[in-house]
Amino acid sequence: MLRTGGSRLVAPGLRRLLSQRAQPGLAAAGARAYHERVVDHYNNPRNVGSFDKDDPNVGTGLVGAPACGDVMKLQIRVDEGTGKIVDACFKTFGCGSAIASSSVATEWVKGKQMEEVVTIKNTEIAKHLSLPPVKLHCSMLAEDAIKAAVKDYEAKKAKLGDTPSEKAAEA
């Protein structure tokens, strides 16, 4: 039976489970506990949405994990002149850890150069979110999505004969 909890439907046991603190920073009791950052990014995801994939300043990374069914679309909007990522968004179909990993990834790429964001490793995302070993594939998807979005953007620019490094050299 589900009951209304604010504007969301919450199973009676889930509300109790989420409100308990097994240890500081953890949002669930028992052997399987998620860090409060995972719960925060799941309940309040940042940068959800999508850009026009045909926009030449947008790179789209679409990745999935067939084993668990998670699918992640991460998009970046790049400033042509500077090569900096000025905005990022995501849409993820999957578990809370996948949504949290996507949300963190979009926050981390904003304001950075593309060369810098491709160095973001899944281990950094997993450590930040304190993901359990069984959920490490979620942070791997986020890393792959970032790299795929950058690759897509660079492919668009190459097709147009217009790369960010050429623009920076001209300036």
Side-chain angles (χ1 to χ4, degrees), residues 140-153:
M140 290 178 200
L141 277 179
E143 178 186 344
D144 292 345
I146 293 168
K147 290 178 178 174
V150 169
K151 186 176 180 180
D152 180 61
Y153 173 78

Side-chain angles (χ1 to χ4, degrees), residues 17-161:
L17 185 67
L18 289 175
S19 66
Q20 293 173 346
R21 300 281 189 227
Q23 46 183 294
L26 297 177
R32 295 184 189 193
Y34 288 100
H35 193 275
E36 63 188 21
R37 286 191 202 112
V38 174
V39 176
D40 179 43
H41 279 276
Y42 173 74
N43 287 331
N44 307 297
R46 282 64 147 187
N47 309 307
V48 175
S50 62
F51 302 133
D52 178 9
K53 65 180 170 94
D54 296 326
D55 183 336
N57 295 320
V58 170
T60 302
L62 183 62
V63 295
C68 65
D70 292 344
V71 178
M72 187 179 293
K73 179 175 85 170
L74 187 139
Q75 293 181 297
I76 56 172
R77 184 183 309 275
V78 182
D79 180 285
E80 277 186 74
T82 64
K84 272 191 178 178
I85 297 171
V86 293
D87 203 0
C89 62
F90 79 94
K91 284 189 177 180
T92 294
F93 176 81
C95 65
S97 297
I99 292 167
S101 295
S102 304
S103 179
V104 166
T106 59
E107 286 191 319
W108 286 7
V109 300
K110 283 185 177 182
K112 295 185 177 160
Q113 294 289 338
M114 289 190 300
E115 300 81 27
E116 192 178 351
V117 300
V118 294
T119 65
I120 294 173
K121 298 292 176 210
N122 69 296
T123 52
E124 296 167 334
I125 295 169
K127 185 176 179 182
H128 177 75
L129 292 172
S130 298
L131 292 178
V134 73
K135 293 295 183 177
L136 291 180
H137 66 279
C138 299
S139 62
M140 290 178 200
L141 277 179
E143 178 186 344
D144 292 345
I146 293 168
K147 290 178 178 174
V150 169
K151 186 176 180 180
D152 180 61
Y153 173 78
E154 289 173 343
K156 282 182 182 178
K157 288 300 171 190
K159 189 175 180 182
L160 297 172

